Amino acid sequence: MDKKKKSEPVDYEVFDVEEDTKGLYCLCLEDWSDEMKEAGNRKSLWYDQMKNRGLGAKMIKGSDGVISGMIQYVPAEYAPLTGENFYFIYCVWVHGHKKGIGDKRGRGMG
């Protein structure tokens, strides 16, 4: 069985999505993808609505200075399930495509 060798872990910085990174966040880090661009501003509209309900969105930048991952989460009160006093994670994403910035998985960011 041939196992893929994982890359060495890298240092990274986690930070909130701000206006200057919102576009990349809304394209799920796939700013190279015509398919993602065709979705238009749907995620941006969703983001603007949900951030007023406690949506948290963070991005991850590797030591190479490239934004390579993200996470989005909401308080339980706005999650698609019932509960309280916890956060629901909608998405944890580390760029895994060969196109664009390349495959950044296996480096400890997720």
Side-chain angles (χ1 to χ4, degrees):
M1 185 182 293
D2 190 25
K3 290 186 177 182
K4 182 180 177 183
K5 184 179 177 182
K6 290 191 174 192
S7 303
E8 291 297 317
V10 296
D11 291 330
Y12 54 87
E13 171 190 357
V14 177
F15 58 94
D16 291 326
V17 171
E18 299 288 346
E19 282 304 311
D20 63 330
T21 54
K22 179 181 170 185
L24 186 59
Y25 162 78
C26 289
L27 290 172
C28 298
L29 310 180
E30 296 179 22
D31 54 347
W32 49 267
S33 169
D34 290 337
E35 188 175 332
M36 290 300 291
K37 291 174 186 172
E38 285 177 14
N41 67 346
R42 290 185 194 115
K43 186 165 182 181
S44 182
L45 294 171
W46 175 84
Y47 173 77
D48 290 340
Q49 178 184 13
M50 290 302 292
K51 73 180 180 181
N52 295 327
R53 296 180 180 169
L55 173 71
K58 306 259 185 204
M59 300 186 93
I60 304 163
K61 184 186 296 184
S63 59
D64 59 1
V66 176
I67 297 173
S68 304
M70 62 185 206
I71 184 172
Q72 58 191 34
Y73 53 92
V74 293
E77 295 79 14
Y78 296 105
L81 46 90
T82 58
E84 57 185 47
N85 298 322
F86 69 89
Y87 284 88
F88 176 81
I89 297 173
Y90 273 109
C91 173
V92 175
W93 176 258
V94 176
H95 195 276
H97 296 282
K98 291 180 182 178
K99 288 185 176 182
I101 61 171
D103 190 345
K104 301 293 184 176
R105 297 174 297 172
R107 299 173 189 211
M109 283 188 263

